[in-house]
């Protein structure tokens, strides 16, 4: 290898990163940024990746959690520098030498075992695991209360799932009163409990709703900015939705709460995944983590889990009861259920089977994130693997998440429609790239209407047929053949449904007359409806003070759960009827888990 400084470009999230790779005596000696145009996250990622590559003289090192794209770009740039210097890339292909901390197993016991090697120790009063809506709420409350606190975030940035949250629920708030909005708090409780058929402990809802006005006032005092309050695109039975500035937590909530937490002396460690729970004599004593690539033991008097759930853990989603074969996971990649597994290892009550995901239907071949009128049900016809109708397709009018719930209990579900129906009911669909779809661009552009564009997208989608999920046919018999459904069943089912439409009365599921639209004229289409999961909600059993409990409802001393790691007010169904209830829970559980931990710490001095 020829000694020198090699200027390379590393792929970043939005633009290339300019890096300089210094090679001396056959080794990579330094990887630095060669321009000032670099974010704090990119700077941190570059420092960590540089250290890993140089210490191991290897390109086979782990990416920085939460910064996979930039990490891979830096590895690629280092590889190109080796090539440019005339070096042998294969010589730098050895695996990173490190001690693996806590591999998971079926009963999660490794999540409460100490690492074989501890390189650093930190003492504190309170550890908060995660820095999303609930983690930041907990951090600021702890800072306000003068508790010595650290936050451990596995990603290279704060915010987590909360960055995309649009707002939060409130009842009898100052903003509502100023807007002339009046309703009683108990109306919210009644609405939510009716939606889940009273399958939850209603005291959780009473506590949450009664705290919302104070919580919003408190957030405003901390610097959080709200735009307005309304009924969320006219979809809520009560106008409970308080919009964050800019319509995103990333704009109105996260930066202000991060700043406030740091002003109050709370230390936030990024790219620092918690790898285990330190528990002695059934009492939580802290956590194990990795800070600056060093295996670290954090001694603490209490631990709050606020890590964002298990929405990216396919095995846990399967355990919850869902078919994940064609499932799309669209939440934060770091939401892998680490807190759930640690809590279970500590003896926590398991509420995974009744947890409530934010889940909707989608068709792989069609653009994701907008054009939901037909795909979510409404005037369409749904049939199962037997070619038989299985529910009222307009159930999303009652609750948006209900569109997916019946699919949990069948092998496959299919959407049947005509070309005319698609032109009419999907005229707001937009031709977005996959990257734009992932960012959910266009989801709020409700006034986009173009039937010609809709049909153009449909034709293109049939041709490309991503996921083998969308087919066109000139006859109903041919349509059944496309996906292997019994011909007679499907043809008879569509005929029967058309008769209901002409009669103006659904004799099977009593679907509202306005949604009874016949499928009479070809070409016909059939699409497999798969599920898109954004977040999990629940999993860890707790009491109304956010103290983690075991199967007998005994508290696990020193352990608390906040945000969507908990959410005991939801059972099976994420109600979502009254916009922002989950975010309201995240803020509330963050604050009051700290209050509970504070009492525990004081009583055990």
């Amino acid at each position: 290898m020829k000694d020198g400084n090699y200027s390379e470009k590393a792929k970043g999230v939005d633009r290339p990163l300019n890096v300089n790779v210094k090679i001396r005596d056959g080794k990579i000696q330094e990887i630095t940024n060669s321009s000032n145009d670099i974010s704090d996250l990119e700077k941190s990622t570059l420092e960590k990746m540089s250290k890993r590559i140089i210490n191991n003289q290897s390109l086979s090192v782990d990416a920085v959690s939460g910064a996979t794209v930039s990490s891979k770009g830096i590895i690629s740039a280092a590889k190109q520098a080796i090539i440019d210097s005339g070096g042998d890339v294969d010589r730098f292909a050895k695996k990173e030498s490190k001690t693996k901390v806590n591999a998971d197993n079926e009963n999660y016991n490794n999540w409460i075992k100490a690492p074989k090697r501890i390189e650093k120790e930190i003492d504190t009063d309170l550890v908060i695991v995660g820095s999303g809506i609930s983690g930041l709420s907990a951090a600021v409350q702890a800072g306000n209360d003068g508790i010595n606190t650290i936050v451990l975030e596995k990603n290279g940035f704060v915010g987590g799932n909360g960055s995309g949250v649009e707002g939060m629920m409130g009842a009898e708030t100052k903003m509502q009163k100023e807007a002339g909005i009046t309703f009683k708090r108990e109306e919210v409780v009644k609405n939510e409990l009716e939606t889940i058929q009273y399958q939850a402990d209603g005291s959780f809802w009473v506590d949450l709703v009664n705290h919302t006005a104070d919580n919003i006032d408190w957030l405003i005092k901390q610097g959080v900015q709200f735009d307005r309050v309304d009924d969320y695109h006219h979809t809520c039975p009560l106008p409970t939705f308080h919009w964050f500035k800019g319509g995103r937590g990333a704009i109105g909530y996260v930066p202000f709460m991060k700043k406030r937490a740091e002003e109050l002396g709370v230390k936030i460690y990024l790219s620092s995944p918690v790898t285990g729970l330190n528990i002695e004599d059934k009492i939580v004593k802290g956590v194990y983590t990795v800070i600056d690539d060093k295996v670290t033991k954090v001694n603490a008097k209490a631990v709050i889990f606020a890590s964002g759930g298990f929405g990216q853990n396919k095995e846990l989603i399967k355990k919850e009861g869902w078919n994940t074969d064609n499932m799309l996971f669209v939440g934060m990649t770091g939401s892998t259920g680490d807190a759930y597994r640690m809590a279970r290892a500590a003896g926590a009550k398991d509420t995974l089977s009744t947890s409530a995901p934010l889940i909707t239907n989608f068709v792989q071949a069609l653009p994701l994130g907008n054009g939901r009128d037909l795909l979510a049900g409404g005037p369409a016809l749904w049939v199962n693997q037997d070619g038989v109708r299985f529910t009222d397709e307009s159930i999303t009018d009652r609750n948006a998440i209900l569109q997916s719930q019946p699919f949990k209990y069948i092998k496959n579900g299919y959407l049947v429609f005509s070309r005319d129906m698609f032109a009419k009911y999907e005229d707001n669909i937009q031709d977005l790239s996959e990257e734009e779809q992932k960012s959910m661009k266009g989801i709020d552009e409700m006034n986009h209407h173009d039937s010609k564009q809709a049909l153009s997208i449909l034709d293109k989608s049939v041709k490309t047929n991503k996921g083998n999920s969308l087919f066109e046919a000139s006859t109903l018999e041919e349509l059944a053949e496309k996906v292997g459904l019994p011909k007679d069943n499907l043809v008879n089912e569509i005929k029967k449904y058309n008769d209901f439409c002409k009669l103006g009365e659904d004799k099977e599921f009593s679907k509202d007359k306005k949604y009874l639209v016949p499928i009479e004229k070809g070409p016909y289409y059939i699409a497999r409806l798969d599920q898109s999961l954004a977040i999990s909600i629940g999993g860890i059993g707790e009491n109304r003070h956010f103290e983690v409990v075991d199967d007998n409802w005994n508290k696990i001393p020193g352990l608390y759960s906040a945000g969507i790691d908990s959410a005991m007010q939801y059972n099976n169904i994420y109600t979502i009827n009254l916009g922002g209830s989950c975010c309201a829970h995240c803020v509330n559980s963050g604050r009051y888990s700290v209050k509970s931990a504070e009492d525990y710490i004081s009583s055990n001095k």
Side-chain angles (χ1 to χ4, degrees), residues 137-197:
S137 172
V140 173
Q141 184 65 60
N144 276 322
D145 293 350
I147 304 173
N148 186 15
T149 302
I150 68 171
V151 176
L152 297 170
E153 171 56 59
K154 72 188 295 185
N155 290 312
F157 51 89
V158 301
N161 289 306
S163 294
V165 172
E166 297 162 298
M168 63 182 285
M169 181 183 75
E172 297 185 12
T173 67
K174 289 179 182 177
M175 288 179 66
Q176 286 167 329
K177 291 172 184 176
E178 290 170 359
I181 295 170
T182 57
F183 60 84
K184 295 180 180 180
R185 288 176 293 184
E186 53 267 35
E187 293 180 66
V188 177
V189 176
K190 180 184 178 186
N191 186 289
E192 297 299 86
L193 286 174
E194 283 182 344
T195 301
I196 57 172
Q197 297 181 324

Side-chain angles (χ1 to χ4, degrees), residues 57-95:
Q57 289 299 303
S58 171
L59 301 177
S60 299
V61 296
D62 286 344
V64 173
S65 180
T68 305
V69 173
S70 298
S71 297
K72 290 181 177 179
I74 292 164
I75 291 172
S76 179
K79 179 180 179 180
Q80 188 59 50
I82 294 169
I83 294 171
D84 292 345
S85 71
D88 181 5
V89 173
D90 291 339
R91 188 163 70 82
F92 292 84
K94 64 182 180 179
K95 292 291 183 182

Side-chain angles (χ1 to χ4, degrees), residues 36-72:
N36 293 322
D37 185 20
I38 186 170
S39 68
D40 289 342
L41 173 58
E42 291 165 338
K43 182 179 180 181
S44 173
T45 303
L46 183 58
E47 290 173 353
K48 288 180 170 62
M49 290 304 296
S50 173
K51 183 177 179 181
R52 293 176 187 182
I53 292 169
I54 292 168
N55 286 352
N56 294 280
Q57 289 299 303
S58 171
L59 301 177
S60 299
V61 296
D62 286 344
V64 173
S65 180
T68 305
V69 173
S70 298
S71 297
K72 290 181 177 179

Side-chain angles (χ1 to χ4, degrees), residues 501-546:
C501 294
K502 292 172 184 175
L503 182 65
E505 185 178 1
D506 181 356
K507 292 288 189 178
E508 290 183 332
F509 296 104
S510 194
K511 181 158 75 170
D512 193 295
K513 183 178 179 180
K514 68 181 179 181
Y515 289 119
L516 292 173
V517 180
I519 305 169
E520 294 180 311
K521 179 184 175 184
Y524 305 103
Y525 298 85
I526 191 164
R528 188 184 66 247
L529 284 168
D530 298 320
Q531 281 65 57
S532 169
L533 191 145
I535 58 173
S536 62
I537 304 175
I540 300 175
E542 61 181 355
N543 60 27
R544 56 190 283 256
H545 303 295
F546 309 107

